Amino acid sequence: MGGQRPPTRSQKWAARHPVATGLCAAVPTTLFFLALSPGTAPGDLAFAAFSGLALGLVFSLTAASERLRQRRLKRLGLWNGS
């Protein structure tokens, strides 16, 4: 499944910046759901905020796991970290 391959450029960036990766996913998602909401009801705003937060968290955790994968590749000598 590609666990032994060296990371791509985007994977290296995501591993170095997991919070920014989460924000890059959360902000557009929140804005998208806010644009789709028919009104300014509290439920619509809460749903947009929750969906952005959830997607941002998923992306941040994925980036953090990529960081761990890259550490493992360095430890095993399969990648020199460049």
Side-chain angles (χ1 to χ4, degrees):
M1 300 217 11
Q4 302 296 327
R5 290 187 296 175
T8 63
R9 185 175 177 185
S10 61
Q11 287 173 323
K12 288 185 223 177
W13 187 89
R16 289 181 186 131
H17 311 286
V19 174
T21 302
L23 283 174
C24 287
V27 171
T29 302
T30 303
L31 293 175
F32 176 73
F33 281 114
L34 283 175
L36 287 182
S37 66
T40 57
D44 296 339
L45 298 175
F47 177 74
F50 176 74
S51 63
L53 181 67
L55 193 67
L57 182 65
V58 167
F59 271 68
S60 291
L61 291 175
T62 302
S65 69
E66 176 62 25
R67 179 183 284 190
L68 293 175
R69 184 184 82 89
Q70 290 178 16
R71 284 184 187 167
R72 184 180 56 83
L73 289 176
K74 282 184 193 177
R75 187 181 71 240
L76 293 175
L78 299 173
W79 178 54
N80 63 1
S82 61

